[in-house]
Amino acid sequence: MTTSQQKAFDRLWPKKGLAVENGLLDLESAFGRRSTVVLEIGFGMGQSLAEMAANEPDADFIGVEVHKPGVGALLRHMEEQSLENIRIFWDDANEVIDKCLPDASLDRVQLFFPDPWHKKRHNKRRIVQLEFVQRIRAKLKSGGVFHMATDWEPYAEHMMEVMSEAPGMENISGVGQFSPRPDTRPVTKFEKRGERLGHGVWDLMFRRVD
Ligand SMILES: C[S@@+](CC[C@H](N)C(=O)[O-])C[C@H]1O[C@@H](n2cnc3c(N)ncnc32)[C@H](O)[C@@H]1O
């Protein structure tokens, strides 16, 4: 962590941090209101999550990240931009999903540029697997959306295969179709660089239908 990340962590974590040990989350008391709730898994350094939270002040965002400097970086963005609509778990998303999130409570789940695990023998470590999707689905409200994005084409294809098999999830853009990037997902610096180099980005958006 940089000094400024650590300072932001020390100041804000007691107010904005959530702990798996506290069990099932009461969303209304966590945010002090009842609103649209968005879960972001693996927010990295938090830049795009902060931007989304600033763009959607009426929505509440739960960010989950295992990497502590990322948590510090997001807290710094929150402090600089006076963002009140983000709460953070510094933990494994699997734990948070299973122990803390009420069923049918989320309007949107976002998974942007998850670790691609390029090597074939590591593909099974990819977070997007049928069993994972079923756990996400249980946490989405009916009609809630699971939005994924990746810049690694084989992972995009893997996501499409898994999602197309997942019961109770429907592709918003039609069977087998990737989605155009919605305005809710900001373009990151890294993605802009990729665009200049001719790399692609694939968005997938699936809705819970039962
Ligand atoms: C390739 S980075 C992408 C970060 C960010 N979403 C972005 O678009 O820049 C993947 C991130 O997911 C986090 N991550 C991986 N597995 C996770 C898990 N099980 N729970 C929470 N975060 C996880 C990593 O620490 C890393 O920051």
Side-chain angles (χ1 to χ4, degrees):
M1 288 239 264
T2 64
T3 311
S4 62
Q5 286 164 1
Q6 184 66 53
K7 282 187 177 158
F9 188 92
D10 294 342
R11 275 192 298 266
L12 259 74
W13 181 254
K15 285 181 266 177
K16 309 294 184 191
L18 299 170
V20 168
E21 297 73 52
N22 292 339
L24 199 63
L25 186 63
D26 177 338
L27 288 164
E28 202 169 335
S29 67
F31 289 100
R33 63 178 180 177
R34 189 187 290 256
S35 187
T36 299
V37 181
V38 181
L39 171 73
E40 169 127 346
I41 296 169
F43 56 73
M45 299 308 275
Q47 224 165 347
S48 69
L49 179 49
E51 197 174 328
M52 281 182 281
N55 291 342
E56 293 181 72
D58 292 335
D60 289 326
F61 292 80
I62 302 169
V64 188
E65 175 55 61
V66 279
H67 183 57
K68 191 176 179 191
V71 174
L74 176 58
L75 287 165
R76 200 157 73 89
H77 289 305
M78 288 162 64
E79 199 166 44
E80 281 168 4
Q81 299 174 54
S82 305
L83 297 172
E84 292 296 333
N85 56 340
I86 303 179
R87 299 291 178 275
I88 304 175
F89 282 100
W90 166 31
D91 218 314
D92 184 326
N94 291 293
E95 293 280 298
V96 173
I97 292 165
D98 293 341
K99 298 184 180 163
C100 304
L101 301 175
D103 285 347
S105 63
L106 305 175
D107 294 274
R108 207 159 82 218
V109 176
Q110 303 180 158
L111 178 68
F112 297 157
F113 306 98
D115 297 319
W117 296 106
H118 299 105
K119 292 188 181 147
K120 220 174 177 102
R121 69 174 186 279
H122 290 154
N123 285 180
K124 56 182 175 298
R125 297 189 194 172
R126 289 173 173 166
I127 197 165
V128 179
Q129 307 291 348
L130 203 49
E131 183 266 344
F132 174 78
V133 177
Q134 287 315 297
R135 283 156 61 223
I136 293 286
R137 171 172 154 264
K139 304 301 166 184
L140 283 168
K141 292 177 185 169
S142 180
V145 171
F146 184 25
H147 178 190
M148 286 148 276
T150 180
D151 59 345
W152 180 242
E153 192 169 10
Y155 200 5
E157 286 162 3
H158 167 88
M159 287 171 172
M160 185 60 85
E161 258 173 50
V162 171
M163 292 307 300
S164 303
E165 276 176 31
M169 299 298 291
E170 176 186 82
N171 190 335
I172 288 180
S173 294
V175 177
Q177 300 299 311
F178 292 99
S179 294
R181 180 182 63 81
D183 291 340
T184 48
R185 185 174 72 73
V187 182
T188 60
K189 244 192 263 174
F190 147 84
E191 193 174 345
K192 277 188 199 131
R193 183 175 156 271
E195 268 171 17
R196 281 200 303 275
L197 295 170
H199 300 165
V201 170
W202 292 265
D203 285 85
L204 294 88
M205 299 184 79
F206 280 71
R207 185 189 293 122
R208 178 176 179 175
V209 285
D210 72 1

Short mmCIF file of all heavy atoms in Angstrom, two decimals, residues 40-48 64-68 70 89-96 110-117 127 132 149 185 188 190-191, ligand 1:
data_model
loop_
_atom_site.label_atom_id
_atom_site.label_comp_id
_atom_site.label_asym_id
_atom_site.label_seq_id
_atom_site.Cartn_x
_atom_site.Cartn_y
_atom_site.Cartn_z
N GLU A 40 -19.98 -5.48 -7.04
CA GLU A 40 -18.85 -5.59 -7.99
C GLU A 40 -17.81 -6.53 -7.39
O GLU A 40 -17.28 -6.30 -6.30
CB GLU A 40 -18.24 -4.21 -8.25
CG GLU A 40 -16.93 -4.32 -8.99
CD GLU A 40 -16.82 -3.50 -10.24
OE1 GLU A 40 -17.86 -3.01 -10.73
OE2 GLU A 40 -15.69 -3.37 -10.73
N ILE A 41 -17.49 -7.57 -8.15
CA ILE A 41 -16.54 -8.59 -7.68
C ILE A 41 -15.17 -8.29 -8.27
O ILE A 41 -15.02 -8.19 -9.48
CB ILE A 41 -17.03 -9.99 -8.12
CG1 ILE A 41 -18.36 -10.32 -7.44
CG2 ILE A 41 -15.97 -11.05 -7.81
CD1 ILE A 41 -19.05 -11.55 -8.00
N GLY A 42 -14.16 -8.17 -7.41
CA GLY A 42 -12.78 -7.96 -7.89
C GLY A 42 -12.62 -6.60 -8.54
O GLY A 42 -12.33 -6.51 -9.73
N PHE A 43 -12.77 -5.51 -7.75
CA PHE A 43 -12.76 -4.16 -8.35
C PHE A 43 -11.36 -3.64 -8.64
O PHE A 43 -11.20 -2.52 -9.13
CB PHE A 43 -13.56 -3.17 -7.49
CG PHE A 43 -13.11 -3.06 -6.05
CD1 PHE A 43 -11.92 -2.40 -5.71
CD2 PHE A 43 -13.87 -3.60 -5.03
CE1 PHE A 43 -11.51 -2.30 -4.38
CE2 PHE A 43 -13.47 -3.50 -3.69
CZ PHE A 43 -12.29 -2.85 -3.36
N GLY A 44 -10.32 -4.43 -8.36
CA GLY A 44 -8.95 -4.01 -8.69
C GLY A 44 -8.57 -2.77 -7.90
O GLY A 44 -8.66 -2.77 -6.68
N MET A 45 -8.15 -1.70 -8.57
CA MET A 45 -7.77 -0.47 -7.88
C MET A 45 -8.97 0.47 -7.72
O MET A 45 -8.82 1.60 -7.25
CB MET A 45 -6.62 0.23 -8.62
CG MET A 45 -5.35 -0.61 -8.69
SD MET A 45 -4.79 -1.27 -7.08
CE MET A 45 -3.82 0.10 -6.47
N GLY A 46 -10.14 0.02 -8.11
CA GLY A 46 -11.38 0.72 -7.76
C GLY A 46 -11.75 1.93 -8.58
O GLY A 46 -12.77 2.58 -8.32
N GLN A 47 -10.93 2.22 -9.62
CA GLN A 47 -11.19 3.42 -10.40
C GLN A 47 -12.57 3.40 -11.06
O GLN A 47 -13.33 4.36 -10.97
CB GLN A 47 -10.14 3.54 -11.48
CG GLN A 47 -9.60 4.93 -11.63
CD GLN A 47 -8.32 4.91 -12.45
OE1 GLN A 47 -7.72 3.85 -12.69
NE2 GLN A 47 -7.89 6.06 -12.88
N SER A 48 -12.87 2.27 -11.72
CA SER A 48 -14.15 2.25 -12.45
C SER A 48 -15.32 2.15 -11.47
O SER A 48 -16.38 2.71 -11.72
CB SER A 48 -14.18 1.17 -13.53
OG SER A 48 -14.20 -0.10 -12.97
N VAL A 64 -16.10 -5.91 -3.67
CA VAL A 64 -15.37 -7.00 -3.00
C VAL A 64 -14.02 -7.16 -3.67
O VAL A 64 -13.95 -7.27 -4.91
CB VAL A 64 -16.14 -8.34 -3.10
CG1 VAL A 64 -15.46 -9.39 -2.23
CG2 VAL A 64 -17.59 -8.19 -2.70
N GLU A 65 -12.97 -7.16 -2.87
CA GLU A 65 -11.62 -7.30 -3.43
C GLU A 65 -10.72 -7.95 -2.37
O GLU A 65 -10.79 -7.59 -1.20
CB GLU A 65 -11.11 -5.91 -3.85
CG GLU A 65 -9.67 -5.85 -4.35
CD GLU A 65 -9.37 -6.79 -5.51
OE1 GLU A 65 -9.98 -6.67 -6.58
OE2 GLU A 65 -8.50 -7.67 -5.33
N VAL A 66 -9.87 -8.89 -2.82
CA VAL A 66 -8.96 -9.56 -1.88
C VAL A 66 -7.64 -8.79 -1.68
O VAL A 66 -6.96 -8.99 -0.68
CB VAL A 66 -8.59 -11.00 -2.33
CG1 VAL A 66 -9.67 -11.98 -1.97
CG2 VAL A 66 -8.25 -11.06 -3.80
N HIS A 67 -7.31 -7.93 -2.64
CA HIS A 67 -6.01 -7.27 -2.68
C HIS A 67 -6.07 -5.97 -1.87
O HIS A 67 -6.76 -5.02 -2.28
CB HIS A 67 -5.72 -7.01 -4.17
CG HIS A 67 -4.42 -6.42 -4.50
ND1 HIS A 67 -3.23 -6.99 -4.14
CD2 HIS A 67 -4.11 -5.30 -5.19
CE1 HIS A 67 -2.24 -6.24 -4.59
NE2 HIS A 67 -2.75 -5.21 -5.22
N LYS A 68 -5.36 -5.92 -0.76
CA LYS A 68 -5.53 -4.77 0.16
C LYS A 68 -5.18 -3.41 -0.47
O LYS A 68 -5.90 -2.43 -0.24
CB LYS A 68 -4.72 -4.99 1.44
CG LYS A 68 -5.09 -3.96 2.51
CD LYS A 68 -4.38 -4.21 3.83
CE LYS A 68 -4.78 -3.14 4.84
NZ LYS A 68 -3.94 -3.17 6.05
N GLY A 70 -5.70 -2.41 -3.36
CA GLY A 70 -6.89 -2.02 -4.14
C GLY A 70 -7.96 -1.42 -3.24
O GLY A 70 -8.59 -0.43 -3.58
N PHE A 89 -16.06 -5.06 1.06
CA PHE A 89 -15.54 -6.26 1.71
C PHE A 89 -14.11 -6.47 1.23
O PHE A 89 -13.88 -6.54 0.01
CB PHE A 89 -16.35 -7.50 1.32
CG PHE A 89 -17.67 -7.65 2.02
CD1 PHE A 89 -18.85 -7.27 1.37
CD2 PHE A 89 -17.75 -8.19 3.29
CE1 PHE A 89 -20.08 -7.43 2.01
CE2 PHE A 89 -18.97 -8.34 3.93
CZ PHE A 89 -20.14 -7.97 3.28
N TRP A 90 -13.17 -6.60 2.16
CA TRP A 90 -11.79 -6.96 1.81
C TRP A 90 -11.70 -8.46 2.09
O TRP A 90 -11.34 -8.89 3.18
CB TRP A 90 -10.84 -6.13 2.66
CG TRP A 90 -9.43 -6.58 2.68
CD1 TRP A 90 -8.74 -7.20 1.69
CD2 TRP A 90 -8.52 -6.41 3.77
NE1 TRP A 90 -7.47 -7.45 2.09
CE2 TRP A 90 -7.31 -6.97 3.36
CE3 TRP A 90 -8.62 -5.85 5.04
CZ2 TRP A 90 -6.19 -6.99 4.19
CZ3 TRP A 90 -7.52 -5.86 5.86
CH2 TRP A 90 -6.31 -6.43 5.43
N ASP A 91 -12.14 -9.25 1.13
CA ASP A 91 -12.26 -10.68 1.37
C ASP A 91 -12.51 -11.41 0.04
O ASP A 91 -12.64 -10.78 -1.01
CB ASP A 91 -13.45 -10.94 2.32
CG ASP A 91 -13.13 -12.07 3.30
OD1 ASP A 91 -12.62 -13.10 2.83
OD2 ASP A 91 -13.38 -11.92 4.50
N ASP A 92 -12.60 -12.72 0.13
CA ASP A 92 -12.87 -13.55 -1.03
C ASP A 92 -14.36 -13.43 -1.39
O ASP A 92 -15.23 -13.61 -0.52
CB ASP A 92 -12.52 -15.00 -0.66
CG ASP A 92 -12.68 -15.96 -1.83
OD1 ASP A 92 -13.58 -15.76 -2.67
OD2 ASP A 92 -11.91 -16.93 -1.89
N ALA A 93 -14.63 -13.15 -2.65
CA ALA A 93 -16.02 -12.96 -3.09
C ALA A 93 -16.89 -14.19 -2.78
O ALA A 93 -18.07 -14.05 -2.47
CB ALA A 93 -16.06 -12.65 -4.58
N ASN A 94 -16.29 -15.37 -2.84
CA ASN A 94 -17.08 -16.59 -2.58
C ASN A 94 -17.64 -16.60 -1.16
O ASN A 94 -18.78 -16.98 -0.92
CB ASN A 94 -16.22 -17.84 -2.80
CG ASN A 94 -15.90 -18.01 -4.26
OD1 ASN A 94 -16.79 -18.28 -5.07
ND2 ASN A 94 -14.65 -17.80 -4.63
N GLU A 95 -16.81 -16.17 -0.21
CA GLU A 95 -17.23 -16.08 1.19
C GLU A 95 -18.35 -15.06 1.34
O GLU A 95 -19.33 -15.29 2.03
CB GLU A 95 -16.05 -15.61 2.06
CG GLU A 95 -14.92 -16.58 2.15
CD GLU A 95 -15.24 -17.65 3.17
OE1 GLU A 95 -15.40 -17.32 4.33
OE2 GLU A 95 -15.34 -18.82 2.75
N VAL A 96 -18.16 -13.91 0.70
CA VAL A 96 -19.15 -12.82 0.80
C VAL A 96 -20.50 -13.27 0.23
O VAL A 96 -21.54 -13.06 0.84
CB VAL A 96 -18.62 -11.56 0.07
CG1 VAL A 96 -19.69 -10.48 0.02
CG2 VAL A 96 -17.36 -11.05 0.75
N GLN A 110 -21.57 -7.28 -11.08
CA GLN A 110 -20.58 -6.94 -12.10
C GLN A 110 -19.28 -7.69 -11.87
O GLN A 110 -18.79 -7.74 -10.74
CB GLN A 110 -20.30 -5.43 -12.04
CG GLN A 110 -21.57 -4.63 -12.21
CD GLN A 110 -21.36 -3.13 -12.16
OE1 GLN A 110 -22.18 -2.39 -12.67
NE2 GLN A 110 -20.28 -2.69 -11.56
N LEU A 111 -18.75 -8.23 -12.94
CA LEU A 111 -17.48 -8.95 -12.89
C LEU A 111 -16.68 -8.48 -14.10
O LEU A 111 -16.90 -8.94 -15.22
CB LEU A 111 -17.76 -10.45 -12.95
CG LEU A 111 -16.55 -11.38 -12.94
CD1 LEU A 111 -15.84 -11.35 -11.59
CD2 LEU A 111 -16.99 -12.82 -13.26
N PHE A 112 -15.81 -7.50 -13.86
CA PHE A 112 -15.10 -6.88 -14.98
C PHE A 112 -13.64 -7.33 -15.01
O PHE A 112 -12.89 -7.16 -14.06
CB PHE A 112 -15.16 -5.34 -14.87
CG PHE A 112 -16.57 -4.79 -14.95
CD1 PHE A 112 -16.87 -3.55 -14.41
CD2 PHE A 112 -17.59 -5.50 -15.58
CE1 PHE A 112 -18.17 -3.03 -14.50
CE2 PHE A 112 -18.89 -5.00 -15.67
CZ PHE A 112 -19.16 -3.76 -15.12
N PHE A 113 -13.26 -7.88 -16.13
CA PHE A 113 -11.88 -8.32 -16.38
C PHE A 113 -11.35 -9.22 -15.27
O PHE A 113 -10.31 -8.94 -14.66
CB PHE A 113 -10.97 -7.09 -16.60
CG PHE A 113 -11.51 -6.19 -17.68
CD1 PHE A 113 -12.27 -5.06 -17.37
CD2 PHE A 113 -11.32 -6.52 -19.01
CE1 PHE A 113 -12.81 -4.26 -18.36
CE2 PHE A 113 -11.86 -5.72 -20.02
CZ PHE A 113 -12.61 -4.60 -19.68
N PRO A 114 -12.09 -10.31 -14.97
CA PRO A 114 -11.59 -11.25 -13.96
C PRO A 114 -10.29 -11.91 -14.44
O PRO A 114 -10.03 -11.96 -15.65
CB PRO A 114 -12.72 -12.28 -13.85
CG PRO A 114 -13.45 -12.21 -15.15
CD PRO A 114 -13.33 -10.78 -15.62
N ASP A 115 -9.50 -12.41 -13.49
CA ASP A 115 -8.23 -13.07 -13.85
C ASP A 115 -8.52 -14.12 -14.92
O ASP A 115 -9.34 -15.02 -14.71
CB ASP A 115 -7.62 -13.72 -12.61
CG ASP A 115 -7.25 -12.67 -11.55
OD1 ASP A 115 -6.74 -11.61 -11.94
OD2 ASP A 115 -7.51 -12.91 -10.35
N PRO A 116 -7.82 -14.03 -16.08
CA PRO A 116 -8.20 -14.89 -17.22
C PRO A 116 -7.67 -16.32 -17.16
O PRO A 116 -8.20 -17.20 -17.82
CB PRO A 116 -7.59 -14.15 -18.42
CG PRO A 116 -6.51 -13.30 -17.85
CD PRO A 116 -6.86 -12.99 -16.43
N TRP A 117 -6.63 -16.57 -16.36
CA TRP A 117 -6.02 -17.90 -16.29
C TRP A 117 -5.83 -18.44 -17.72
O TRP A 117 -6.51 -19.35 -18.15
CB TRP A 117 -6.88 -18.84 -15.44
CG TRP A 117 -6.95 -18.38 -14.01
CD1 TRP A 117 -8.01 -17.79 -13.40
CD2 TRP A 117 -5.90 -18.43 -13.03
NE1 TRP A 117 -7.69 -17.46 -12.10
CE2 TRP A 117 -6.40 -17.85 -11.84
CE3 TRP A 117 -4.58 -18.90 -13.03
CZ2 TRP A 117 -5.64 -17.73 -10.67
CZ3 TRP A 117 -3.83 -18.78 -11.86
CH2 TRP A 117 -4.37 -18.20 -10.72
N ILE A 127 -13.12 -17.93 -12.36
CA ILE A 127 -14.23 -17.77 -11.42
C ILE A 127 -15.58 -18.09 -12.06
O ILE A 127 -16.50 -18.57 -11.39
CB ILE A 127 -14.19 -16.35 -10.77
CG1 ILE A 127 -15.05 -16.31 -9.51
CG2 ILE A 127 -14.58 -15.26 -11.76
CD1 ILE A 127 -14.80 -15.09 -8.62
N PHE A 132 -20.70 -21.41 -9.74
CA PHE A 132 -20.57 -20.01 -9.30
C PHE A 132 -21.76 -19.19 -9.80
O PHE A 132 -22.34 -18.40 -9.05
CB PHE A 132 -19.25 -19.45 -9.84
CG PHE A 132 -19.03 -17.98 -9.59
CD1 PHE A 132 -18.64 -17.53 -8.33
CD2 PHE A 132 -19.22 -17.05 -10.59
CE1 PHE A 132 -18.44 -16.18 -8.09
CE2 PHE A 132 -19.02 -15.70 -10.37
CZ PHE A 132 -18.63 -15.26 -9.11
N ALA A 149 -17.35 -8.68 -18.20
CA ALA A 149 -16.57 -8.16 -19.33
C ALA A 149 -15.17 -8.77 -19.25
O ALA A 149 -14.64 -8.98 -18.16
CB ALA A 149 -16.49 -6.64 -19.28
N ARG A 185 -20.85 0.80 -17.58
CA ARG A 185 -19.45 0.34 -17.42
C ARG A 185 -18.49 1.36 -18.03
O ARG A 185 -18.40 1.47 -19.24
CB ARG A 185 -19.24 -1.03 -18.08
CG ARG A 185 -17.83 -1.57 -17.78
CD ARG A 185 -17.62 -2.97 -18.28
NE ARG A 185 -17.53 -3.09 -19.74
CZ ARG A 185 -16.48 -2.70 -20.46
NH1 ARG A 185 -15.43 -2.13 -19.88
NH2 ARG A 185 -16.49 -2.85 -21.77
N THR A 188 -11.93 1.89 -18.92
CA THR A 188 -10.75 2.14 -18.09
C THR A 188 -9.55 2.55 -18.97
O THR A 188 -9.57 2.34 -20.18
CB THR A 188 -10.35 0.86 -17.31
OG1 THR A 188 -10.06 -0.15 -18.28
CG2 THR A 188 -11.46 0.40 -16.40
N PHE A 190 -6.70 1.22 -19.04
CA PHE A 190 -6.13 -0.02 -19.57
C PHE A 190 -6.89 -0.47 -20.84
O PHE A 190 -6.30 -0.88 -21.83
CB PHE A 190 -6.21 -1.03 -18.41
CG PHE A 190 -6.44 -2.46 -18.77
CD1 PHE A 190 -5.37 -3.26 -19.12
CD2 PHE A 190 -7.71 -3.01 -18.73
CE1 PHE A 190 -5.58 -4.58 -19.43
CE2 PHE A 190 -7.92 -4.32 -19.04
CZ PHE A 190 -6.84 -5.11 -19.39
N GLU A 191 -8.21 -0.26 -20.79
CA GLU A 191 -9.03 -0.66 -21.93
C GLU A 191 -8.80 0.28 -23.13
O GLU A 191 -8.77 -0.15 -24.28
CB GLU A 191 -10.49 -0.62 -21.49
CG GLU A 191 -11.45 -1.29 -22.45
CD GLU A 191 -12.85 -1.32 -21.85
OE1 GLU A 191 -13.01 -1.09 -20.64
OE2 GLU A 191 -13.79 -1.56 -22.63
C1 LIG B 1 -7.50 -8.72 -13.54
S1 LIG B 1 -8.02 -7.86 -12.12
C2 LIG B 1 -9.31 -6.78 -12.70
C3 LIG B 1 -9.60 -5.66 -11.78
C4 LIG B 1 -10.72 -4.70 -12.17
N1 LIG B 1 -12.02 -5.33 -12.22
C5 LIG B 1 -10.42 -4.00 -13.48
O1 LIG B 1 -11.24 -4.12 -14.41
O2 LIG B 1 -9.39 -3.32 -13.57
C6 LIG B 1 -8.94 -9.10 -11.21
C7 LIG B 1 -9.16 -8.69 -9.76
O3 LIG B 1 -10.00 -9.65 -9.10
C8 LIG B 1 -9.52 -9.84 -7.79
N2 LIG B 1 -10.00 -11.16 -7.36
C9 LIG B 1 -9.67 -12.37 -7.89
N3 LIG B 1 -10.33 -13.36 -7.27
C10 LIG B 1 -11.11 -12.77 -6.32
C11 LIG B 1 -12.01 -13.28 -5.35
N4 LIG B 1 -12.25 -14.59 -5.23
N5 LIG B 1 -12.64 -12.40 -4.54
C12 LIG B 1 -12.40 -11.07 -4.65
N6 LIG B 1 -11.54 -10.53 -5.55
C13 LIG B 1 -10.91 -11.37 -6.37
C14 LIG B 1 -8.01 -9.72 -7.91
O4 LIG B 1 -7.39 -9.40 -6.68
C15 LIG B 1 -7.89 -8.61 -8.95
O5 LIG B 1 -7.82 -7.33 -8.34
#
